[in-house]
């Protein structure tokens, strides 16, 4: 990543630069706030890391100026004089995160990685632009939808925006749950406060609790500094609990308690902090079925389900495909620096007839590929047909998207508790191997020779593994 490092302490900056460059980042130094703000405006960075206390412009002012000029650019603040107030000020003012000096290099690198992963999602939305669906301005990603379902959803957002109740957003993967959550925040009376999004599925189980609730220094072995949890960071604003269906049972209990008592207590602390946080939650999972299966707490569900917004899958709102496509093509062409292709009528009809199991996200991916392949020429039916025949499969089994790290942790926890018989390790390795072959086979669209070649094993081995894990090759998806 391209990093801008603003710090008046040259020694500290150069030792940090060594660490960052060793992990493959490119670092541009700035020795004071003014210079940092100027560089941030002039050049394209992926991330800014700035000191808090500096002569001239301080960290908070740097943050404000950068937020005004480039709202999507994540900023991390570092401070040697830590107070909770300051940390909350910083995150409320829109800092992606803050770190207390001295910190461990791995800690900073982890934060940088998260910033990189979420930077693309942290875009402002504008509901007002949704009426004129095809006009997308440079910085806003408008919520598009001329279908009856989306229009009534937009009104529902307006009704719910200021209500002090949690909102549960349900819908298949890629239908726009996160965008709706952001719209609820931006149109509500907390819009000037922070919107904090937490992806419950992406954080390793062992870290979720301190991510959400925070911890005190020394609360556990790696707690080298106090950490303000996401709940506290969202104080007076909105906390978006994304993929809530993936929250482990142990954390579900604790979350329920925080929601009931409206108080949070950092791990390792005895002091409760009263919360004023709007809760939004989303999942693509079937929560009632999970309750039946005993994997999601019914009482937590009832805490969250006062207001439910259901996002219809794209295949049930065909009329949105045309305006979505034209907005996506414009944006993709601009982002890729390529000419924008036009869709011929038959090409659009094919897009409208496609089932889009991955919904808008899949539509985006496909159109992005069209922009690259079309070289600005009009796109006809044949090209779309070919594109759709190689559309990525998204009909994965429900647990395939659980991160590997989570799987390992789960198995290890079971093993530690003696719940796995002798042979726990081979079983774990089997799980990992199964994931490897499943994913490889999907990416190879069922071509076993490719899998063998990629993994450097014989075709006989591939066949054995597929047999063993019952991964019967499927043919690529066809148009209905
Ligand atoms: N109404 C809409 N108008 C324009 N773009 C949209 C709309 N809904 C979704 N998108 C775009 O589609 C993509 C997927 O949306 P989003 O991430 O909100 O979906 P999601 O439901 O959270 O998906 P997942 O379950 O995979 O997390 C994003 O790039 C988003 O900007
Ligand atoms: Mg999402």
């Amino acid at each position: 990543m391209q990093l801008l490092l603003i710090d008046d302490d040259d020694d500290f900056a150069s030792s940090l630069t060594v660490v960052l460059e060793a992990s493959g980042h490119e670092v541009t130094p700035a020795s004071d706030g003014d210079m940092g703000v100027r560089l941030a405006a002039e050049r394209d960075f992926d991330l800014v890391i700035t000191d808090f206390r500096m002569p001239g412009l301080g960290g908070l002012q740097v943050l404000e100026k950068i937020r005004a000029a480039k709202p999507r650019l994540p900023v991390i603040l570092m401070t040697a004089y830590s107070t909770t107030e300051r940390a909350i000020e910083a995150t409320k003012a829109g800092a992606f995160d803050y770190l207390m000096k001295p910190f461990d290099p791995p800690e900073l690198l982890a934060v940088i990685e998260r910033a990189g992963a979420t930077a693309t999602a942290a875009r402002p939305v504008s509901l007002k632009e949704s009426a004129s669906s095809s006009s997308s301005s440079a910085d806003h990603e408008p919520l598009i939808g001329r279908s009856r379902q989306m229009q009534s959803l937009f009104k529902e957002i307006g009704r719910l925006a200021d209500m002090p109740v949690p909102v549960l957003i349900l819908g298949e993967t890629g239908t726009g749950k996160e965008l709706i959550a952001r719209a609820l925040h931006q149109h509500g009376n907390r819009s000037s406060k922070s919107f904090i999004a937490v992806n419950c599925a992406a954080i390793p189980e062992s870290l979720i609790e301190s991510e959400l609730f925070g911890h005190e220094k020394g609360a556990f072995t790696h707690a080298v500094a106090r950490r303000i949890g996401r709940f506290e960071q969202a104080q007076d604003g909105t906390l978006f609990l994304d993929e809530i269906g993936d929250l482990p049972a142990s954390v579900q209990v604790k979350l329920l308690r925080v929601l009931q008592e409206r108080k949070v207590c950092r791990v390792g602390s005895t002091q409760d902090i009263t919360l004023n946080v709007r809760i939004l939650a989303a999942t693509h999972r079937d929560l009632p079925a999970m309750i039946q299966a005993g994997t999601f707490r019914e009482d937590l569900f009832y805490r969250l389900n006062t207001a439910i917004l259901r996002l219809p899958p794209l295949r049930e709102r065909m009329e949105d495909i045309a305006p979505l496509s034209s907005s996506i093509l414009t944006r993709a062409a601009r982002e890729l620096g390529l000419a924008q292709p036009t869709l011929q009528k038959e090409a659009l009809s094919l897009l409208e007839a496609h089932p889009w199991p991955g919904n808008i996200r899949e539509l985006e991916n496909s159109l992005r590929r069209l922009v690259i392949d079309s070289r600005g020429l009009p796109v006809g039916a044949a090209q779309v047909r070919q594109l759709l025949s190689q559309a990525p499969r998204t009909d994965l089994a429900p647990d395939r998207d659980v991160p590997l790290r989570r799987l390992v942790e789960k198995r290890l926890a079971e093993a530690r508790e003696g719940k796995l018989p002798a042979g726990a390790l081979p079983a774990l390795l089997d799980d990992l191997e199964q994931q490897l072959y499943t994913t490889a086979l999907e990416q190879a669209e069922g071509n076993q020779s490719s899998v063998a070649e990629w993994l450097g094993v014989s075709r006989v081995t591939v066949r054995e593994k597929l047999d063993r894990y019952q991964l019967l090759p499927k043919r690529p998806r066809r148009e209905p």
Side-chain angles (χ1 to χ4, degrees), residues 23-259:
S23 329
H25 299 294
E26 275 181 47
V27 181
T28 305
S31 53
D32 64 50
D34 286 301
M35 180 180 172
V37 169
R38 206 173 51 243
L39 281 170
E42 280 167 11
R43 301 203 209 154
D44 271 337
F45 291 101
D46 299 310
L47 177 71
V48 178
I49 304 172
T50 178
D51 194 22
F52 208 103
R53 215 150 89 164
M54 296 178 284
L57 276 190
L60 266 187
Q61 290 160 299
V62 168
L63 171 66
E64 273 160 23
K65 287 189 189 293
I66 292 180
R67 295 281 300 164
K70 298 208 167 163
R72 292 193 208 175
L73 181 58
V75 178
I76 295 176
L77 279 147
M78 309 179 286
T79 172
Y81 313 89
S82 69
T83 66
T84 305
E85 246 62 296
R86 186 170 276 183
I88 292 177
E89 270 323 301
T91 40
K92 265 207 232 160
F96 177 77
D97 213 327
Y98 79 98
L99 288 166
M100 291 173 206
K101 287 180 184 175
F103 48 78
D104 270 354
E107 200 185 349
L108 175 64
L109 292 172
V111 172
I112 291 177
E113 213 164 279
R114 257 190 295 133
T118 51
T120 42
R123 293 177 215 131
V125 291
S126 166
L127 192 65
K128 289 167 196 112
E129 286 180 30
S130 65
S132 54
S133 45
S134 55
S135 77
S136 62
S137 74
D139 279 307
H140 288 253
E141 189 176 4
L143 260 176
I144 291 171
R146 61 161 79 132
S147 62
R148 185 183 42 76
Q149 298 99 305
M150 289 307 284
Q151 288 298 324
S152 76
L153 199 82
F154 294 156
K155 288 179 205 151
E156 195 71 11
I157 291 174
R159 277 193 286 272
L160 287 171
D162 277 345
M163 303 261 276
V165 294
V167 178
L168 182 58
I169 305 164
L170 302 176
E172 289 180 12
T173 179
T175 45
K177 297 185 290 297
E178 177 158 354
L179 218 52
I180 295 294
R182 288 177 189 277
L184 275 166
H185 173 74
Q186 287 181 0
H187 292 271
N189 46 19
R190 293 166 181 257
S191 61
S192 62
K193 310 289 190 208
S194 46
F195 174 91
I196 304 281
V198 184
N199 184 341
C200 302
I203 310 164
E205 182 166 352
S206 57
L207 298 181
I208 292 183
E209 214 179 312
S210 88
E211 178 81 14
L212 288 177
F213 312 128
H215 64 239
E216 290 297 334
K217 182 174 178 174
F220 46 89
T221 321
H222 298 294
V224 289
R226 170 189 286 169
R227 183 180 169 81
I228 305 301
R230 295 294 178 190
F231 267 96
E232 256 184 278
Q233 291 180 6
Q235 187 69 290
D236 298 330
T238 304
L239 179 66
F240 174 45
L241 298 167
D242 201 2
E243 309 293 0
I244 193 144
D246 291 70
L247 211 56
S250 61
V251 186
Q252 289 178 27
V253 191
K254 290 178 179 140
L255 175 62
L256 177 67
R257 199 172 320 128
V258 170
L259 296 183

Side-chain angles (χ1 to χ4, degrees), residues 265-331:
C265 184
R266 296 181 201 131
V267 178
S269 161
T270 50
Q271 213 186 340
D272 280 337
I273 297 149
T274 303
L275 291 171
N276 168 22
V277 174
R278 172 91 189 271
I279 302 293
L280 306 176
T283 182
H284 66 279
R285 296 191 188 275
D286 181 349
L287 292 181
M290 289 183 71
I291 293 170
Q292 284 281 308
T295 48
F296 197 83
R297 293 183 67 103
E298 192 168 13
D299 43 11
L300 179 56
F301 178 69
Y302 284 120
R303 269 278 144 192
L304 296 170
N305 80 344
T306 322
I308 295 187
L309 289 179
R310 280 176 215 280
L311 274 161
L314 194 52
R315 62 185 168 279
E316 289 173 16
R317 41 175 165 130
M318 269 181 55
E319 59 273 46
D320 288 343
I321 290 181
L324 276 170
S325 299
S326 89
S327 149
I328 293 169
L329 286 174
T330 307
R331 186 152 32 93

